[in-house]
Amino acid sequence: MTHEEHHAAKTLGIGKAIAVLTSGGDAQGMNAAVRAVVRVGIFTGARVFFVHEGYQGLVDGGDHIKEATWESVSMMLQLGGTVIGSARCKDFREREGRLRAAYNLVKRGITNLCVIGGDGSLTGADTFRSEWSDLLSDLQKAGKITDEEATKSSYLNIVGLVGSIDNDFCGTDMTIGTDSALHRIMEIVDAITTTAQSHQRTFVLEVMGRHCGYLALVTSLSCGADWVFIPECPPDDDWEEHLCRRLSETRTRGSRLNIIIVAEGAIDKNGKPITSEDIKNLVVKRLGYDTRVTVLGHVQRGGTPSAFDRILGSRMGVEAVMALLEGTPDTPACVVSLSGNQAVRLPLMECVQVTKDVTKAMDEKKFDEALKLRGRSFMNNWEVYKLLAHVRPPVSKSGSHTVAVMNVGAPAAGMNAAVRSTVRIGLIQGNRVLVVHDGFEGLAKGQIEEAGWSYVGGWTGQGGSKLGTKRTLPKKSFEQISANITKFNIQGLVIIGGFEAYTGGLELMEGRKQFDELCIPFVVIPATVSNNVPGSDFSVGADTALNTICTTCDRIKQSAAGTKRRVFIIETMGGYCGYLATMAGLAAGADAAYIFEEPFTIRDLQANVEHLVQKMKTTVKRGLVLRVTGFWSPPGRNEKCNENYTTDFIFNLYSEEGKGIFDSRKNVLGHMQQGGSPTPFDRNFATKMGAKAMNWMSGKIKESYRNGRIFANTPDSGCVLGMRKRALVFQPVAELKDQTDFEHRIPKEQWWLKLRPILKILAKYEIDLDTSDHAHLEHITRKRSGEAAV
């Protein structure tokens, strides 16, 4: 990347103007996107305008279209809804309305429009763009605009960001607002679960989703619901019998409650609506269970955005500005979307067309086609749900294999969800499943027991590790471990944990040379708040920790906003891995995030202090600084992001240099980051990882069966299951060795480091933005065939 290309991003917007509007139903995270569009637009030298009240503001003009400043988007990152307002607009549907909108834009020299909304809003934007030349010539003929104004505004660039809690837009894995809506739903489901258990009740919960069952489907996976009704997959004709049988079986197994999730658009095979009241009446009439209905309604749209939605909104906002400023008259209107953890640009109308095709397929009762059009991620969710909720485990275990499941390392929220799905999928496949307590230590000591279906009942929503977890590695205890593998006839091992789970896996591979008993397939599912396991972009538990940090930062910012002129230095977990500090910095709007991977000197610290001194002269009189620290120090090594620049040192420096200008306070978050109930993302991710790991395990055991016993000695019989860019992949632990920095317990390459410039730009640092890695326009057909993981 040359200096000229670097510099180009800073000058890309000079002489250009961008307008940003939010339209249609509001969604949490829209404000993060608006904030990013404004700040990155200003960074590139462009003028940025707010359009208040959506398309209505565009039509009405006047004070509805206001120039934005850097400070005008301060403190909006953590707010739900949309601060600039949204409205349904009839006027814009008429050509006369669009003519007025074009006039308002031309008069302000705005030729770039960023629309944040659902498919209806984005379709409207595309219509506007296609008519642009005709609208200008009409305005010229009427003498409303000059020839010079028409020439200056000869074409209109449009980029869409999808803000919709339903996740009903094809072409993106997640729309802005979906994750936050799931947070609201899960908070309620968790609360209802406790009361339902007390009274042995059945609860029918109705969630939003008129044409899309995503919220209902992921909720059912995340809470282990007995049944889910979604519009894309109507139940079979005898569903009433099947449902009642399923509910009574759950009770027979010892469960004290039943949860049924219904999307508001749920239908049967004939297109007839299935309402929550219908289901309640059926359960009461046939089974006589005490049954209650809860309709969640607009609660799902409310509340503060989750960390995921803030980061998604911010990343999409940055990408939208780049797409607008790089646009030409020939570039089609595009939508910036998410595929795996990659930002991609897709032609807007292709996405709208596929989204309409889903509705059309459902109208024509082609439900299999509707499911396929929703994409791989949706189908994966549906397949795992069907397995866990509808398939009965076989009674006999003849010809079955024995698989053991264990947790290794520090506790992480979501570990229990992974154990639950691993155990249950194992049982469904007819295997005998053992659980090991206290990691490799328990495997050596024989703390092993068989798990039945109800052993893991209700585990999805529970934080920490129910099996118990330790950091002990296996090498010292190979003899005892080998003896127990033989004693319990263990033929495969699922290891759920952090960096120690990975290094433990490497030790098992080495140990195979000495001990034949260790020649069994094993798979590592990454689960650690630090997100430092090689071979995976995400670890189970990191999202929960990120949300915990975010919530704390929000409260601290609120306190700082009240007292004015105050800077908070917050220490996060992470060892040598700066993932939590960087992502929390993005999600909480931090001024700086100090991490090991990006070395810093005293000069950098001085520059940061000076930056905060300047900030205190504006209307935003508060600062937030994050620093990652090691929470576990191996003997003889101090694990810090920088050994000398400790949190205390940084705090003392800020206190001294800020004297008379700002106060400094420090806050060490500590072990609260490892606790708490797992977020919907972690529950869903863990459930799918457990299911995928167990499916792989069954295949590998069959493959390794020789002369009446299991013998697995190939590199691909010991893998890490990780999410890489757009897919869930199994990678041999031995191959990951070269990609690992063992001294610092981190992967050598980490995808999230590319997001650090965004954090700095949004905090108003004059830095270079590397645009070489920006998304290029793809096509939706290619996108849908790639496997999206979560």
Side-chain angles (χ1 to χ4, degrees):
M1 186 98 210
T2 65
H3 177 73
E4 287 71 31
E5 282 175 294
H6 266 316
H7 191 67
K10 275 200 237 179
T11 55
L12 201 59
I14 291 172
K16 295 181 180 176
I18 300 169
V20 58
L21 65 88
T22 53
S23 173
D26 65 315
Q28 310 95 318
M30 279 182 166
N31 290 326
V34 170
R35 172 180 176 268
V37 169
V38 168
R39 290 194 169 174
V40 176
I42 291 171
F43 167 82
T44 63
R47 295 173 72 200
V48 187
F49 291 82
F50 290 133
V51 179
H52 291 273
E53 313 309 332
Y55 285 122
Q56 195 61 55
L58 207 56
V59 173
D60 295 345
D63 283 347
H64 287 98
I65 305 174
K66 280 186 189 155
E67 189 159 358
T69 63
W70 195 273
E71 285 85 22
S72 62
V73 290
S74 180
M75 285 299 273
M76 70 193 278
L77 188 60
Q78 65 269 33
L79 300 176
T82 163
V83 170
I84 56 174
S86 176
R88 310 272 177 195
C89 176
K90 284 183 184 167
D91 293 344
F92 194 76
R93 289 184 188 157
E94 305 299 324
R95 196 171 187 282
E96 183 52 41
R98 295 194 288 276
L99 198 63
R100 284 163 61 196
Y103 170 79
N104 289 327
L105 291 180
V106 172
K107 283 296 177 191
R108 289 167 179 81
I110 300 168
T111 55
N112 298 285
L113 189 59
C114 175
V115 178
I116 306 166
D119 59 339
S121 310
L122 300 184
T123 309
D126 192 70
T127 308
F128 190 38
R129 182 184 198 243
S130 60
E131 289 179 351
W132 186 254
S133 307
D134 294 344
L135 295 171
L136 289 199
S137 60
D138 283 8
L139 291 169
Q140 269 175 292
K141 281 175 199 159
K144 289 190 175 177
I145 60 169
T146 65
D147 292 352
E148 191 188 344
E149 283 171 332
T151 310
K152 261 190 187 171
S153 306
S154 61
Y155 68 94
L156 178 70
N157 279 324
I158 284 194
V159 170
L161 301 184
V162 193
S164 157
I165 67 163
D166 293 343
N167 203 26
D168 57 353
F169 194 80
C170 293
T172 185
D173 286 352
M174 285 291 264
T175 58
I176 296 167
T178 305
D179 189 62
S180 302
L182 286 169
H183 273 253
R184 293 303 87 76
I185 296 168
M186 286 317 304
E187 284 160 15
I188 291 162
V189 172
D190 286 351
I192 277 175
T193 302
T194 55
T195 175
Q197 276 174 331
S198 305
H199 297 277
Q200 296 198 49
R201 280 189 176 135
T202 296
F203 266 89
V204 182
L205 277 97
E206 186 180 302
V207 300
M208 282 186 171
R210 199 166 302 138
H211 303 293
C212 179
Y214 184 87
L215 289 179
L217 181 53
V218 174
T219 299
S220 67
L221 271 181
S222 303
C223 73
D226 293 284
W227 199 285
V228 66
F229 291 92
I230 60 172
E232 293 88 345
C233 305
D236 294 329
D237 291 337
D238 63 344
W239 66 269
E240 289 98 337
E241 309 290 332
H242 190 168
L243 171 66
C244 292
R245 188 172 67 242
R246 166 93 188 132
L247 297 182
S248 54
E249 275 173 9
T250 310
R251 292 286 174 103
T252 312
R253 288 195 198 114
S255 175
R256 292 178 58 87
L257 80 158
N258 298 112
I259 300 276
I260 300 164
I261 310 287
V262 191
E264 61 180 322
I267 49 173
D268 65 15
K269 286 246 159 92
N270 302 312
K272 182 174 168 276
I274 298 175
T275 68
S276 34
E277 281 299 328
D278 293 342
I279 297 161
K280 176 195 164 178
N281 295 337
L282 171 77
V283 175
V284 171
K285 190 176 161 193
R286 298 248 182 123
L287 299 171
Y289 292 170
D290 184 357
T291 307
R292 305 293 159 99
V293 172
T294 302
V295 179
L296 270 57
H298 282 75
V299 164
Q300 295 160 84
R301 285 194 190 279
T304 184
S306 65
F308 183 94
D309 274 331
R310 298 180 196 196
I311 293 162
L312 178 65
S314 301
R315 284 179 71 186
M316 300 295 104
V318 173
E319 192 59 56
V321 171
M322 291 302 146
L324 282 170
L325 299 181
E326 289 165 9
T328 67
D330 305 321
T331 335
C334 78
V335 60
V336 173
S337 74
L338 185 76
S339 179
N341 71 351
Q342 300 290 102
V344 294
R345 297 179 194 173
L346 298 167
L348 191 149
M349 287 322 286
E350 276 186 29
C351 297
V352 168
Q353 190 52 53
V354 179
T355 305
K356 284 180 175 166
D357 289 347
V358 179
T359 315
K360 184 169 171 251
M362 289 196 290
D363 289 344
E364 291 172 1
K365 303 187 177 48
K366 295 177 183 168
F367 297 109
D368 287 347
E369 192 182 320
L371 192 60
K372 282 197 192 96
L373 288 167
R374 279 276 178 239
R376 187 72 67 93
S377 171
F378 195 97
M379 285 174 73
N380 283 353
N381 284 326
W382 180 248
E383 292 308 319
V384 174
Y385 156 74
K386 273 202 308 192
L387 268 180
L388 288 170
H390 290 263
V391 179
R392 287 181 186 175
V395 181
S396 95
K397 296 265 192 301
S398 60
S400 70
H401 303 296
T402 303
V403 181
V405 189
M406 63 200 292
N407 291 158
V408 175
M415 276 182 163
N416 298 325
V419 171
R420 172 186 174 270
S421 84
T422 306
V423 167
R424 289 196 169 173
I425 295 290
L427 293 171
I428 285 165
Q429 290 169 345
N431 294 321
R432 179 169 161 258
V433 185
L434 305 176
V435 289
V436 181
H437 298 277
D438 298 337
F440 288 117
E441 196 177 294
L443 190 58
K445 290 180 178 172
Q447 293 167 263
I448 299 164
E449 63 178 314
E450 188 168 345
W453 188 269
S454 52
Y455 185 92
V456 288
W459 278 30
T460 36
Q462 299 196 24
S465 163
K466 301 267 285 180
L467 292 182
T469 180
K470 289 203 169 169
R471 295 181 184 280
T472 320
L473 291 169
K475 203 173 192 174
K476 295 175 196 148
S477 320
F478 275 164
E479 281 188 23
Q480 298 96 304
I481 286 172
S482 299
N484 280 325
I485 285 175
T486 305
K487 180 182 173 185
F488 290 94
N489 190 28
I490 296 169
Q491 296 167 313
L493 199 54
V494 178
I495 309 165
I496 300 161
F499 199 83
E500 290 82 12
Y502 161 69
T503 44
L506 283 169
E507 287 187 7
L508 291 177
M509 285 303 262
E510 280 297 306
R512 285 177 175 183
K513 292 170 191 163
Q514 283 172 284
F515 297 92
D516 274 3
E517 294 88 344
L518 299 179
C519 294
I520 57 170
F522 70 84
V523 60
V524 175
I525 296 176
T528 164
V529 299
S530 305
N531 196 26
N532 63 338
V533 178
S536 191
D537 293 348
F538 292 107
S539 297
V540 171
D543 186 65
T544 305
L546 203 49
N547 278 283
T548 304
I549 299 168
C550 257
T551 306
T552 312
C553 287
D554 287 351
R555 288 174 182 177
I556 286 170
K557 271 170 81 176
Q558 207 166 30
S559 127
T563 44
K564 300 276 194 289
R565 300 184 189 283
R566 188 162 279 180
V567 174
F568 279 88
I569 291 125
I570 296 169
E571 184 179 290
T572 72
M573 280 184 167
Y576 278 109
C577 179
Y579 175 82
L580 282 181
T582 299
M583 296 309 245
L586 253 181
D591 293 281
Y594 299 125
I595 63 169
F596 162 77
E597 291 93 340
E598 202 172 85
F600 55 93
T601 64
I602 191 75
R603 279 187 293 281
D604 297 316
L605 290 172
Q606 282 173 323
N608 291 153
V609 171
E610 181 51 37
H611 180 263
L612 281 164
V613 167
Q614 294 306 316
K615 188 176 176 182
M616 294 301 159
K617 293 175 184 171
T618 70
T619 53
V620 188
K621 298 188 191 329
R622 51 146 224 294
L624 190 66
V625 174
L626 279 96
R627 178 188 178 282
V628 66
T629 181
F631 58 91
W632 177 60
S633 299
R637 196 170 82 226
N638 184 11
E639 192 182 5
K640 293 276 192 284
C641 70
N642 187 307
E643 285 180 21
N644 297 312
Y645 299 145
T646 61
T647 303
D648 285 340
F649 174 85
I650 292 170
F651 168 69
N652 291 335
L653 176 84
Y654 273 72
S655 299
E656 189 56 40
E657 296 293 321
K659 261 188 187 161
I661 302 159
F662 58 79
D663 286 344
S664 295
R665 296 282 187 277
K666 72 173 174 193
N667 203 314
V668 179
L669 300 184
H671 281 75
M672 66 186 284
Q673 295 160 82
Q674 281 180 358
S677 178
T679 56
F681 178 93
D682 277 334
R683 297 181 197 199
N684 186 21
F685 189 39
T687 301
K688 283 162 83 171
M689 292 283 264
K692 194 150 181 111
M694 205 49 156
N695 285 331
W696 174 88
M697 181 61 74
S698 290
K700 268 285 170 272
I701 290 175
K702 285 185 188 122
E703 229 175 81
S704 316
Y705 204 75
R706 295 197 189 99
N707 309 325
R709 73 183 196 93
I710 304 297
F711 186 80
N713 205 11
T714 54
D716 70 347
S717 61
C719 286
V720 169
L721 169 58
M723 182 180 171
R724 281 288 175 100
K725 291 193 175 173
R726 302 184 186 186
L728 285 178
V729 284
F730 291 93
Q731 300 141 100
V733 286
E735 283 178 20
L736 293 169
K737 252 173 121 167
D738 295 341
Q739 301 170 27
T740 310
D741 172 352
F742 285 98
E743 187 192 344
H744 300 108
R745 299 159 48 84
I746 52 173
K748 285 178 183 170
E749 283 194 13
Q750 300 184 92
W751 67 273
W752 50 266
L753 284 167
K754 287 180 177 163
L755 301 185
R756 282 187 64 81
I758 298 176
L759 190 150
K760 292 173 185 174
I761 287 166
L762 294 175
K764 210 175 184 176
Y765 280 90
E766 284 295 319
I767 66 141
D768 294 330
L769 177 63
D770 180 351
T771 55
S772 63
D773 198 47
H774 278 288
H776 298 288
L777 198 67
E778 296 189 10
H779 288 280
I780 188 165
T781 42
R782 217 178 78 212
K783 148 77 192 75
R784 278 210 321 283
S785 61
E787 177 175 345
V790 189

